[in-house]
Structure formats: C-alpha cells, structure tokens
Amino acid sequence: MTIQTSLGRRGFLASTTAVAGGFSLGFHVPFLDDGAANAQAGVRELNAWVVIHPDDKVVVRIARSEMGQGTLTGLCQLVAEELECDWNKVTWEYPTPGQNVARNRVWRNFSTGGSRGIRESNQYVREGGAIAREMLIAAAATKLNVPAGELTAANSVITHKGSGKSVRFGEVAAAAAALEPPKEVKLKDPKDWKIAGKPIKRLDTVEKVTGQQIYGMDHTMPGMLVATVRACPVIGGKLKSFDAAKIEKMPGVKKVVAIDGNAVVVVADTYWNAHTALAALPTEWDVGELGKVQQDQIKATLKAGLDAPEAFVGNKAGDAKAAIDGAAKKVTATYSFPYQHHVTMEPMNATARYTADKCEVWCGTQNGEAALAAASEASGLPVAKCEVYKLMLGGGFGRRGRSDYVRQAVLVAKEMPGTPIKLIWSREEDMTHCQYHPITMAKLTAGLDKDGNLVGLHVRISGQSILASLLPQNLVNGMDPATFQGLMQTGVEAAYGYDVPNLLIDHAMRNPHITAGFWRGVNVNQNAVYMECFMDELAEAAGQDPLAYRLKYLKPKWAAVLKAACDKAGYGKPLPAGHFHGISQVMGYGSYVAGVAEVSVADNGQVKIHKITAATNPGHVVNPAQIDRQVAGSFVYGLSAMLYGEITVKDGAIEQTNFDTYNMLRMDEMPKVETVLVPTHDFWGGVGEPTIAVAAPAVLNAIAKARGKRVRDLPLMHHELKKGA
Amino acid sequence: MAVLNVNGKAMDHNAAPDTPLLWVLREQLGLTGTKYGCGIAQCGSCTVLIDGAPMRSCHVPVKGVAATAKITTIEGLAANGKLTKIQEAWVASDVPQCGYCQSGMIMAATALLAAKPNPTDADIDAAMTNICRCGTYQQVREAIHAAAKA
Ligand code: FES
Ligand code: FES
C-alpha cells in the first residue's frame, strides 16, 4: 500500500552503494512468510507501523534498535497515542533491513545513534498511528452505518456517541486495511497525550529478568558451529602466518581460516573448544612501523597541535586573539581526555549462513541497513539476496553502529557454505579491536577585563577526528564538524551556549593509527569537560561565583536548565561539612542539560560523589521514567570514563584487555541521581546521550573546590588528591 | 558423560572437565540466560548459585562441581511462571536497560537476600559487585530494598 502525507517522502538509503543498488523483491522476511496464515486469521497490516489482530492485539513495527535506551517503548507509546489503542494490547516487532529495502524504505532510517530514535522519527511514526486510526474509524462508519465524523476511538474501541453503538479495532481491521489511507492527518497536541508523556513501564522487561531474552550471543540454529577470532593486535597490521596443523586435532575443531588478511578464526563445535584451540594457535603478525607507536608519541603529537599555526575554525566571533592580548588578565589551561572503550556487556558477535544464492545474518546491530550492506559486501551477493535479522543488543553505546563483526562472520560462513556460523569475540578481542572514543587535548586561553568580565576566549582542540577515521567522505573541506559538538556556532544539535564577544574555537586535527569512533555522547563529553571546567577557572580568576559567572554569558535556554538544576540541588545553600557543589551545563543531541554534583574528598584522597542533580530540557517528554533511567545510566558511563577510563597504546597495540585493566564504576561508587525535567514543548531533543557530558565537569569542579587543586587530565585515578598532596 | 544438578533436574553433558561451568550451561545444556561478559570473574554476568552461594561460573571448571551440588540459574528462579519476589521487584522498578547483566545481578541479589533478608545500603554495596555498563545501579538498589520489604 502507499501512504500519502509525509510518509510518502522516502529518504535515501545511505549505508553504501551496494545497498542503493538492491531495490528488488523476493527474499525471506519473517512476518511476510506468515502472510498467508496471518491473512486467513484476519491479521491486517494497516500500514508499515501498525498491524492489528482480530483479538485487538496491536503490533507496532520498530525500525530503530533497542539496546537498553528504551526507544522501543517510547516509539510504541507515540504510535499507540495516535492510534487510540489499549496500551495493554501493544506488542512490537522489528521489520528487517532487507524488507525496508524491498519496500522502498517505508520504515526509513534503521540507524540507531545520536540519541535520534525518537526525536528523528516521532513525526512519521505518530502519523502512522493516526492514519491507521482514521482508517479504522472509516471502516467502523461503514459497518455501523453512521457518519465517520460522529465516531470516536479510544482504548481500541470505536464508539458512536448518538446511538452508543461500538465496534472493536479487531472487528474492523480487515475492512480498514482495504481502504485508501487519508492524505492528511492531524496529530494530537502533546498536552492531550494519555499514553505518550507518561512514565509507562518498558515492554521488554519480563524476558530480561527471567533469562528468556535472546541476544545475538544466545542465538542458535540446527547444525550451527561456533567460531572465535583473533585479529592482528596492531590495528592496521597484517596476518603473516599461522600453524593450523598444531590445533587441527584439538577437541571439536572443524576449521582454521584466515580472513581479510589480518585475522585468523577457529571454527569448532562450541565456543569453548574454539577459544581453547585459538589460544594454542601459533600466529605471527606483520605490524611494520605501526608496531613502534607508543602512547607518549601520540600524546606528544597532540601536544604539538595545541600551538600549531594551522587549525580548522569551528566557531568564531570578533577577534579573540586581539581581545586576549589587550585584556587586563589572561588565564590559560590545558586539558586532556584519553581514548575510551565502549565495553558493551555483550561482546561482539554475529551468526551468518551463506549459500551461493543467499546470505543471512542474525545479530545485534545499531544499524541494520549497514549490517545488510556489510553482509552483501562480504558475501559478494547482491543486497536482494542478503538479509539481516536483528536480535536484542547487550549494549550498543555506538560500538554496534559499525559492522566489522558482521563482515567477519559472513567471511567465515562463506568458507563453509550452508553451515550457520556464530562468531563470538572474546572480551579480550573486543577490548583490543574497537573504534575508540577519540583522544584529544585542549588549550583554553581567556582574556578578562579589570572587572573579571570575559572579553576574549580561544579554545584550541588538538586531536583525533572520528569522521576522518570512519566516514572520511563526510569531512567538510578536510574539517570534521562533529569535533565541535557542544561548541558549535549555531544549530539545533549541539550549539555553544555562551555569548562571548570575541571567540575562536578551532581544531588541529591529529590522527593516530587507532580507529576512532562514536562513543555514547561522542565529542560532547570532552568538550564539556574542557569548557565547563574552564568556566569555573574563569569565575575563580574573576573572584565570582561559578553560577553567577556563567549566567552573565549563557543564552536563555541554556541558562534556564542550569538554573533549574541549581534550584533543585539547593545550590548556594549550606551543605554538610566537607561537601561541595560543582556545576556544568551543555547542549547536545538537541537537548539542553545541566548537572550539579555534590562531592567530598576525604583526607586520604578518597573522592565520594554523594549526589548529582540533573536537569534536562528535551523539548517534549515521551517517557519521564525512562528519561530518569537514561540520565542515571549516562552518569555511570560518564563517571566511569572520568574515574578510570583510559585506553593506551603500546607497540602499536591496545594495552587494556579486560575489566581487570579497564575498570568502571560499580554499585558502591554510584551517586544518588535526581532528575529534573524542564521541557519547553517547542522542539524534539534526544535523551540517551546529552547528560553524560555534564557529570564529569560537575564532579571535577566540585573536587577543585574541595581540594583547591584542579585535575585537568583524565582519568582521575592517576591523580593524588590526598590532603597536602 | 557427566551429570550436573541444574534447577532441580539432573542434566547430562559431555564437556571436557576443564570447561567453565558457564559454557557447559550455555552450550551443552541450552541455558543461555547465564551470560558471558569477561571470562575472568570480574563482571558477574555469569553469576549462578551453587548450593545457594553466588559463584561466577566463568571461573568454575565443571569438573569441580559435584553431581549433587545444586546449581540454580536465572531460568530456575520462577516456578510455574510465577516470578520470585526479587524478579517481581525488578519488574516493578523497571530495572533492566539492555538487560545483559541482569541475570547475574538478580542471582547475586537472590543470594544476598537469602543471607540478609533486610540488607543495608552498605550490604548491597558489598554484595553487588557486578558490572552494569548501562548503569542500572540506582534501580538495582531500589529493587533490592523493595524485595526485602515484600
Ligand atoms: S563472565 Fe564471569 S564474571 Fe564476567
Ligand atoms: S542493563 Fe545493560 S549492562 Fe546492565
């Protein structure tokens, strides 16, 4: 069927050209396979988003991936709100990426990142719900023989006011499905929402507390074998040789194969046998000059970039250099933020089955269409002969937006046509073969007038570009605009909140050989640390309160959310002895966020983060309970990086291999998190990521107050905060 | 062929004696609710109960588990579809995000509440050392307190 209104305007498939060429029908799709049976049972697809069963069960199709962020529940709420169905009848399913291609991208974007799940698709999924409701009402009008305008839908029942007659959705779904969809629908005013906007429970909880949820790691098929991989420890290095004969007789081993010239894989009957054999496999690598790269060299390269004459300009006003030179007082500080690893709890894995005319993949992915493209490229089959079945993700955080593990699984499956191969990365493989949060440094220089007013500011960032690493085609004349997240001149995505008369924010791009990638919060993380810690330094230099100082320069929406956080936290009011407040704010992912951390530092240097109060203005609130959880969870992520997160390079390879060398925050360090929502209802912002970035600077600012000593290079674990140290 | 007592049932497997219990459960017995996170006893995703004690099954060679030792996995908690009060509390507090760590969390919490029916925050800090990368700790704490009161 064709849907008019804005659903009619299809986006373009952007994954790769392989996918763009693949618009043809004729392959296996789970719910299409059930088509005949479903039709007989009266199950009807009203449009791409909504399927209704005769017993009123509603199936909402979710194109984005659920990885813990709650997007599937939120999207269901939005569809159900417009559909006017009974929330208790709502279930969900994933359409497949292949089917999206076959149906002219009716579900549009599958990519799940950048906190875009809801803010980018709210309009068209709500329209999907509203269109389905109108079709149900039209069918009910015919059945009840009354004008459609006299009918109202609520709780999966359509009622005629005058006569009191009513029908259930399930009774008219089949008739409704045969109707032309309306050309225009009016969406509800969010202030009339009954399902959306409410703290409704997630739809995916019971499976997750009973062990029934199937993740990629748990997928199994008849005849399946299990593989595990070791790629060259130096990213960019090659496989030189391996001695398969040494392990071929080991228990369960079926095959030893090299893939992509840089990795070796053992296929066995079980993971444990594959793992044991791989550990015993003699392997030699060709790492060349890359094998000589050390962490100190990377740092030195970045450091040199702090004063380099050439840099990409990301934000500029007036003449910062002249203003700083002529200022009464000059303040300078240098900060640094190391490589980070995503560490999804579930290591990378994918199951693939290849035959000469079909390639199928079962996996958790943040980008189903990119996974489909990867399957096509790796198998050499056209997209129309490939399919990806999305499974639940044991965490994404940006890691599963890349399809390297899908490619590997397909390459192995291709070596054993017809046999399903589940490729599992060990935690060690996962830790050492990621696309890492980029390493950067920043030198901030400010000029203050005699009253402490900020007259000029230069922020020089030096370090790695994600786009140069992953998507060089998206660089703009060599510049990586994403580097300036949170510091951008304008825009609805991540704009800089301060009005500074003379400003220069620029980036000296320095790209080590380590692959850089999107990591929950991306570049907002370090940019917020740099800017928000430095604002505290400026307030201190001016002898003014950090909140009052910020409010002199912050634009209204940024200021409002910071004030909301401070009000809720009781900023400025007395705290228990030895406790200090630190504040920060940022705009990211379309939302405005701020945090107030309450921290104490014991005489022995032990930092205790008692509480963080976080305010968010996401424009519209779809599920306040889930926002609460995203905020608390994002703080665990951001604080783990601040306290412990550091990936380092030795002889060209990643040094950290598992949780014993890459620590993270646990229960005993968890601060109490209080969330304040201050929606202004005039835009749609993201939620999963923005607040990560305010945790670290707020805590660092509080520590600086507590200790009178400021930490400028992370992680905190390297710093002695003992009294007198 | 060796025997394990899992969730009240005797189950056969033919894994090599050095195989960690985790992989025997997952790959030989089809109990995939117990998760692999690190393999080095750091993260707790693989936590099961052995005779009531929480054990990180990635570090328990199967040869060390007696045929009579009672192993409980996440699949063995709910009886006839009825969730335990801890699982109920987890649902009521909407604890899981991605959910991958939650089997281990729930098993650790089950052992904690069996030993200390009314745990303090400090007890929870000490017993719940599992890693949750999604950061559900605040809800985990809330759910444990709620289950203690239920
Ligand atoms: S998998 Fe056993 S503790 Fe991590
Ligand atoms: S819920 Fe995702 S790791 Fe804990």
Side-chain angles (χ1 to χ4, degrees), chain A residues 249-275:
Chain A
K249 299 267 142 47
M250 286 178 71
V253 172
K254 306 285 181 194
K255 206 172 172 91
V256 186
V257 295
I259 52 169
D260 267 341
N262 64 13
V264 59
V265 177
V266 176
V267 184
D269 56 347
T270 63
Y271 173 74
W272 190 252
N273 282 338
H275 174 83

PDB file of all heavy atoms in Angstrom, chain A residues 249-275:
ATOM      1  N   LYS A 249      43.804 -31.000  15.460  1.00  0.00           N
ATOM      2  CA  LYS A 249      43.342 -32.234  16.118  1.00  0.00           C
ATOM      3  C   LYS A 249      42.727 -31.963  17.487  1.00  0.00           C
ATOM      4  O   LYS A 249      42.322 -32.898  18.176  1.00  0.00           O
ATOM      5  CB  LYS A 249      44.523 -33.214  16.268  1.00  0.00           C
ATOM      6  CG  LYS A 249      45.140 -33.639  14.936  1.00  0.00           C
ATOM      7  CD  LYS A 249      44.522 -34.926  14.427  1.00  0.00           C
ATOM      8  CE  LYS A 249      44.335 -34.959  12.908  1.00  0.00           C
ATOM      9  NZ  LYS A 249      45.462 -34.539  12.106  1.00  0.00           N
ATOM     10  N   MET A 250      42.717 -30.727  17.870  1.00  0.00           N
ATOM     11  CA  MET A 250      42.171 -30.429  19.214  1.00  0.00           C
ATOM     12  C   MET A 250      40.660 -30.679  19.235  1.00  0.00           C
ATOM     13  O   MET A 250      39.994 -30.635  18.199  1.00  0.00           O
ATOM     14  CB  MET A 250      42.505 -28.988  19.625  1.00  0.00           C
ATOM     15  CG  MET A 250      43.982 -28.818  19.998  1.00  0.00           C
ATOM     16  SD  MET A 250      44.435 -27.141  20.443  1.00  0.00           S
ATOM     17  CE  MET A 250      43.608 -26.967  22.030  1.00  0.00           C
ATOM     18  N   PRO A 251      40.096 -30.938  20.439  1.00  0.00           N
ATOM     19  CA  PRO A 251      38.684 -31.314  20.521  1.00  0.00           C
ATOM     20  C   PRO A 251      37.761 -30.298  19.844  1.00  0.00           C
ATOM     21  O   PRO A 251      37.884 -29.095  20.075  1.00  0.00           O
ATOM     22  CB  PRO A 251      38.402 -31.355  22.028  1.00  0.00           C
ATOM     23  CG  PRO A 251      39.736 -31.519  22.668  1.00  0.00           C
ATOM     24  CD  PRO A 251      40.741 -30.904  21.749  1.00  0.00           C
ATOM     25  N   GLY A 252      36.891 -30.813  19.029  1.00  0.00           N
ATOM     26  CA  GLY A 252      35.821 -30.001  18.466  1.00  0.00           C
ATOM     27  C   GLY A 252      36.202 -29.118  17.305  1.00  0.00           C
ATOM     28  O   GLY A 252      35.332 -28.546  16.654  1.00  0.00           O
ATOM     29  N   VAL A 253      37.502 -29.017  16.991  1.00  0.00           N
ATOM     30  CA  VAL A 253      37.930 -28.064  15.947  1.00  0.00           C
ATOM     31  C   VAL A 253      37.489 -28.566  14.566  1.00  0.00           C
ATOM     32  O   VAL A 253      37.688 -29.722  14.220  1.00  0.00           O
ATOM     33  CB  VAL A 253      39.458 -27.869  15.988  1.00  0.00           C
ATOM     34  CG1 VAL A 253      39.927 -27.032  14.795  1.00  0.00           C
ATOM     35  CG2 VAL A 253      39.850 -27.190  17.301  1.00  0.00           C
ATOM     36  N   LYS A 254      36.860 -27.679  13.812  1.00  0.00           N
ATOM     37  CA  LYS A 254      36.381 -28.054  12.473  1.00  0.00           C
ATOM     38  C   LYS A 254      37.206 -27.410  11.377  1.00  0.00           C
ATOM     39  O   LYS A 254      37.361 -27.958  10.310  1.00  0.00           O
ATOM     40  CB  LYS A 254      34.911 -27.610  12.294  1.00  0.00           C
ATOM     41  CG  LYS A 254      33.966 -28.094  13.367  1.00  0.00           C
ATOM     42  CD  LYS A 254      33.640 -29.571  13.218  1.00  0.00           C
ATOM     43  CE  LYS A 254      32.673 -29.995  14.318  1.00  0.00           C
ATOM     44  NZ  LYS A 254      32.550 -31.423  14.461  1.00  0.00           N
ATOM     45  N   LYS A 255      37.642 -26.194  11.623  1.00  0.00           N
ATOM     46  CA  LYS A 255      38.323 -25.479  10.545  1.00  0.00           C
ATOM     47  C   LYS A 255      39.097 -24.303  11.120  1.00  0.00           C
ATOM     48  O   LYS A 255      38.666 -23.698  12.110  1.00  0.00           O
ATOM     49  CB  LYS A 255      37.273 -24.956   9.559  1.00  0.00           C
ATOM     50  CG  LYS A 255      37.796 -24.763   8.146  1.00  0.00           C
ATOM     51  CD  LYS A 255      36.632 -24.436   7.185  1.00  0.00           C
ATOM     52  CE  LYS A 255      37.174 -24.063   5.819  1.00  0.00           C
ATOM     53  NZ  LYS A 255      37.313 -25.169   4.892  1.00  0.00           N
ATOM     54  N   VAL A 256      40.228 -24.005  10.487  1.00  0.00           N
ATOM     55  CA  VAL A 256      41.000 -22.814  10.862  1.00  0.00           C
ATOM     56  C   VAL A 256      41.138 -21.983   9.590  1.00  0.00           C
ATOM     57  O   VAL A 256      41.614 -22.489   8.575  1.00  0.00           O
ATOM     58  CB  VAL A 256      42.390 -23.201  11.405  1.00  0.00           C
ATOM     59  CG1 VAL A 256      43.117 -21.961  11.931  1.00  0.00           C
ATOM     60  CG2 VAL A 256      42.256 -24.244  12.523  1.00  0.00           C
ATOM     61  N   VAL A 257      40.686 -20.752   9.628  1.00  0.00           N
ATOM     62  CA  VAL A 257      40.708 -19.944   8.402  1.00  0.00           C
ATOM     63  C   VAL A 257      41.273 -18.554   8.676  1.00  0.00           C
ATOM     64  O   VAL A 257      41.118 -18.004   9.772  1.00  0.00           O
ATOM     65  CB  VAL A 257      39.300 -19.788   7.770  1.00  0.00           C
ATOM     66  CG1 VAL A 257      38.779 -21.125   7.307  1.00  0.00           C
ATOM     67  CG2 VAL A 257      38.326 -19.129   8.725  1.00  0.00           C
ATOM     68  N   ALA A 258      41.903 -18.006   7.643  1.00  0.00           N
ATOM     69  CA  ALA A 258      42.348 -16.613   7.701  1.00  0.00           C
ATOM     70  C   ALA A 258      41.304 -15.764   6.980  1.00  0.00           C
ATOM     71  O   ALA A 258      40.751 -16.194   5.964  1.00  0.00           O
ATOM     72  CB  ALA A 258      43.696 -16.478   7.018  1.00  0.00           C
ATOM     73  N   ILE A 259      41.020 -14.596   7.518  1.00  0.00           N
ATOM     74  CA  ILE A 259      40.080 -13.704   6.833  1.00  0.00           C
ATOM     75  C   ILE A 259      40.675 -12.304   6.720  1.00  0.00           C
ATOM     76  O   ILE A 259      41.385 -11.835   7.613  1.00  0.00           O
ATOM     77  CB  ILE A 259      38.703 -13.627   7.544  1.00  0.00           C
ATOM     78  CG1 ILE A 259      38.860 -13.306   9.026  1.00  0.00           C
ATOM     79  CG2 ILE A 259      37.909 -14.903   7.349  1.00  0.00           C
ATOM     80  CD1 ILE A 259      37.555 -12.957   9.719  1.00  0.00           C
ATOM     81  N   ASP A 260      40.372 -11.667   5.615  1.00  0.00           N
ATOM     82  CA  ASP A 260      40.736 -10.270   5.374  1.00  0.00           C
ATOM     83  C   ASP A 260      42.244  -9.991   5.490  1.00  0.00           C
ATOM     84  O   ASP A 260      42.644  -8.843   5.626  1.00  0.00           O
ATOM     85  CB  ASP A 260      39.974  -9.342   6.343  1.00  0.00           C
ATOM     86  CG  ASP A 260      38.672  -8.831   5.722  1.00  0.00           C
ATOM     87  OD1 ASP A 260      38.561  -8.888   4.480  1.00  0.00           O
ATOM     88  OD2 ASP A 260      37.796  -8.375   6.465  1.00  0.00           O
ATOM     89  N   GLY A 261      43.046 -11.040   5.506  1.00  0.00           N
ATOM     90  CA  GLY A 261      44.490 -10.831   5.566  1.00  0.00           C
ATOM     91  C   GLY A 261      44.978 -10.295   6.897  1.00  0.00           C
ATOM     92  O   GLY A 261      46.162 -10.014   7.065  1.00  0.00           O
ATOM     93  N   ASN A 262      44.055 -10.171   7.868  1.00  0.00           N
ATOM     94  CA  ASN A 262      44.508  -9.604   9.145  1.00  0.00           C
ATOM     95  C   ASN A 262      43.992 -10.367  10.359  1.00  0.00           C
ATOM     96  O   ASN A 262      44.178  -9.917  11.484  1.00  0.00           O
ATOM     97  CB  ASN A 262      44.110  -8.123   9.255  1.00  0.00           C
ATOM     98  CG  ASN A 262      42.605  -7.920   9.267  1.00  0.00           C
ATOM     99  OD1 ASN A 262      41.841  -8.869   9.428  1.00  0.00           O
ATOM    100  ND2 ASN A 262      42.173  -6.687   9.094  1.00  0.00           N
ATOM    101  N   ALA A 263      43.327 -11.484  10.137  1.00  0.00           N
ATOM    102  CA  ALA A 263      42.748 -12.190  11.284  1.00  0.00           C
ATOM    103  C   ALA A 263      42.697 -13.680  11.021  1.00  0.00           C
ATOM    104  O   ALA A 263      42.605 -14.121   9.867  1.00  0.00           O
ATOM    105  CB  ALA A 263      41.341 -11.670  11.569  1.00  0.00           C
ATOM    106  N   VAL A 264      42.726 -14.431  12.110  1.00  0.00           N
ATOM    107  CA  VAL A 264      42.614 -15.877  11.992  1.00  0.00           C
ATOM    108  C   VAL A 264      41.456 -16.338  12.872  1.00  0.00           C
ATOM    109  O   VAL A 264      41.206 -15.778  13.938  1.00  0.00           O
ATOM    110  CB  VAL A 264      43.956 -16.571  12.337  1.00  0.00           C
ATOM    111  CG1 VAL A 264      44.404 -16.240  13.743  1.00  0.00           C
ATOM    112  CG2 VAL A 264      43.881 -18.062  12.134  1.00  0.00           C
ATOM    113  N   VAL A 265      40.732 -17.344  12.361  1.00  0.00           N
ATOM    114  CA  VAL A 265      39.498 -17.772  13.008  1.00  0.00           C
ATOM    115  C   VAL A 265      39.521 -19.278  13.196  1.00  0.00           C
ATOM    116  O   VAL A 265      39.911 -20.008  12.284  1.00  0.00           O
ATOM    117  CB  VAL A 265      38.273 -17.401  12.136  1.00  0.00           C
ATOM    118  CG1 VAL A 265      36.980 -17.899  12.760  1.00  0.00           C
ATOM    119  CG2 VAL A 265      38.211 -15.890  11.896  1.00  0.00           C
ATOM    120  N   VAL A 266      39.103 -19.726  14.371  1.00  0.00           N
ATOM    121  CA  VAL A 266      38.919 -21.159  14.597  1.00  0.00           C
ATOM    122  C   VAL A 266      37.422 -21.436  14.667  1.00  0.00           C
ATOM    123  O   VAL A 266      36.696 -20.776  15.410  1.00  0.00           O
ATOM    124  CB  VAL A 266      39.594 -21.627  15.908  1.00  0.00           C
ATOM    125  CG1 VAL A 266      39.297 -23.107  16.155  1.00  0.00           C
ATOM    126  CG2 VAL A 266      41.098 -21.383  15.847  1.00  0.00           C
ATOM    127  N   VAL A 267      36.996 -22.398  13.863  1.00  0.00           N
ATOM    128  CA  VAL A 267      35.597 -22.831  13.883  1.00  0.00           C
ATOM    129  C   VAL A 267      35.558 -24.181  14.597  1.00  0.00           C
ATOM    130  O   VAL A 267      36.335 -25.071  14.269  1.00  0.00           O
ATOM    131  CB  VAL A 267      35.028 -22.988  12.464  1.00  0.00           C
ATOM    132  CG1 VAL A 267      33.544 -23.356  12.514  1.00  0.00           C
ATOM    133  CG2 VAL A 267      35.244 -21.713  11.651  1.00  0.00           C
ATOM    134  N   ALA A 268      34.657 -24.296  15.581  1.00  0.00           N
ATOM    135  CA  ALA A 268      34.573 -25.550  16.354  1.00  0.00           C
ATOM    136  C   ALA A 268      33.123 -25.857  16.667  1.00  0.00           C
ATOM    137  O   ALA A 268      32.212 -25.125  16.270  1.00  0.00           O
ATOM    138  CB  ALA A 268      35.404 -25.425  17.633  1.00  0.00           C
ATOM    139  N   ASP A 269      32.930 -26.927  17.422  1.00  0.00           N
ATOM    140  CA  ASP A 269      31.557 -27.289  17.774  1.00  0.00           C
ATOM    141  C   ASP A 269      31.003 -26.372  18.855  1.00  0.00           C
ATOM    142  O   ASP A 269      29.799 -26.132  18.920  1.00  0.00           O
ATOM    143  CB  ASP A 269      31.480 -28.765  18.198  1.00  0.00           C
ATOM    144  CG  ASP A 269      32.441 -29.095  19.345  1.00  0.00           C
ATOM    145  OD1 ASP A 269      33.341 -28.262  19.643  1.00  0.00           O
ATOM    146  OD2 ASP A 269      32.292 -30.179  19.945  1.00  0.00           O
ATOM    147  N   THR A 270      31.886 -25.872  19.737  1.00  0.00           N
ATOM    148  CA  THR A 270      31.431 -24.965  20.787  1.00  0.00           C
ATOM    149  C   THR A 270      32.393 -23.783  20.885  1.00  0.00           C
ATOM    150  O   THR A 270      33.527 -23.859  20.419  1.00  0.00           O
ATOM    151  CB  THR A 270      31.420 -25.647  22.177  1.00  0.00           C
ATOM    152  OG1 THR A 270      32.765 -25.997  22.512  1.00  0.00           O
ATOM    153  CG2 THR A 270      30.537 -26.879  22.206  1.00  0.00           C
ATOM    154  N   TYR A 271      31.909 -22.729  21.556  1.00  0.00           N
ATOM    155  CA  TYR A 271      32.791 -21.582  21.763  1.00  0.00           C
ATOM    156  C   TYR A 271      34.005 -21.995  22.574  1.00  0.00           C
ATOM    157  O   TYR A 271      35.126 -21.604  22.262  1.00  0.00           O
ATOM    158  CB  TYR A 271      32.059 -20.440  22.479  1.00  0.00           C
ATOM    159  CG  TYR A 271      33.017 -19.319  22.860  1.00  0.00           C
ATOM    160  CD1 TYR A 271      33.514 -18.453  21.895  1.00  0.00           C
ATOM    161  CD2 TYR A 271      33.471 -19.174  24.170  1.00  0.00           C
ATOM    162  CE1 TYR A 271      34.425 -17.457  22.214  1.00  0.00           C
ATOM    163  CE2 TYR A 271      34.389 -18.186  24.505  1.00  0.00           C
ATOM    164  CZ  TYR A 271      34.862 -17.323  23.524  1.00  0.00           C
ATOM    165  OH  TYR A 271      35.769 -16.358  23.854  1.00  0.00           O
ATOM    166  N   TRP A 272      33.763 -22.778  23.618  1.00  0.00           N
ATOM    167  CA  TRP A 272      34.885 -23.080  24.497  1.00  0.00           C
ATOM    168  C   TRP A 272      35.985 -23.838  23.765  1.00  0.00           C
ATOM    169  O   TRP A 272      37.170 -23.563  23.937  1.00  0.00           O
ATOM    170  CB  TRP A 272      34.426 -23.823  25.764  1.00  0.00           C
ATOM    171  CG  TRP A 272      35.573 -23.876  26.716  1.00  0.00           C
ATOM    172  CD1 TRP A 272      36.318 -24.961  27.049  1.00  0.00           C
ATOM    173  CD2 TRP A 272      36.173 -22.756  27.386  1.00  0.00           C
ATOM    174  NE1 TRP A 272      37.335 -24.605  27.893  1.00  0.00           N
ATOM    175  CE2 TRP A 272      37.275 -23.247  28.121  1.00  0.00           C
ATOM    176  CE3 TRP A 272      35.889 -21.388  27.438  1.00  0.00           C
ATOM    177  CZ2 TRP A 272      38.092 -22.429  28.893  1.00  0.00           C
ATOM    178  CZ3 TRP A 272      36.692 -20.576  28.205  1.00  0.00           C
ATOM    179  CH2 TRP A 272      37.788 -21.088  28.925  1.00  0.00           C
ATOM    180  N   ASN A 273      35.584 -24.769  22.908  1.00  0.00           N
ATOM    181  CA  ASN A 273      36.594 -25.504  22.137  1.00  0.00           C
ATOM    182  C   ASN A 273      37.298 -24.594  21.132  1.00  0.00           C
ATOM    183  O   ASN A 273      38.505 -24.698  20.932  1.00  0.00           O
ATOM    184  CB  ASN A 273      35.951 -26.705  21.434  1.00  0.00           C
ATOM    185  CG  ASN A 273      35.737 -27.869  22.408  1.00  0.00           C
ATOM    186  OD1 ASN A 273      36.407 -27.951  23.447  1.00  0.00           O
ATOM    187  ND2 ASN A 273      34.798 -28.746  22.086  1.00  0.00           N
ATOM    188  N   ALA A 274      36.542 -23.709  20.512  1.00  0.00           N
ATOM    189  CA  ALA A 274      37.147 -22.778  19.553  1.00  0.00           C
ATOM    190  C   ALA A 274      38.140 -21.865  20.273  1.00  0.00           C
ATOM    191  O   ALA A 274      39.257 -21.633  19.811  1.00  0.00           O
ATOM    192  CB  ALA A 274      36.055 -21.951  18.872  1.00  0.00           C
ATOM    193  N   HIS A 275      37.726 -21.380  21.431  1.00  0.00           N
ATOM    194  CA  HIS A 275      38.535 -20.465  22.233  1.00  0.00           C
ATOM    195  C   HIS A 275      39.835 -21.138  22.693  1.00  0.00           C
ATOM    196  O   HIS A 275      40.918 -20.564  22.611  1.00  0.00           O
ATOM    197  CB  HIS A 275      37.685 -20.027  23.432  1.00  0.00           C
ATOM    198  CG  HIS A 275      38.401 -19.187  24.434  1.00  0.00           C
ATOM    199  ND1 HIS A 275      38.557 -17.833  24.277  1.00  0.00           N
ATOM    200  CD2 HIS A 275      39.003 -19.502  25.606  1.00  0.00           C
ATOM    201  CE1 HIS A 275      39.227 -17.356  25.315  1.00  0.00           C
ATOM    202  NE2 HIS A 275      39.504 -18.348  26.135  1.00  0.00           N
TER     203      HIS A 275
END
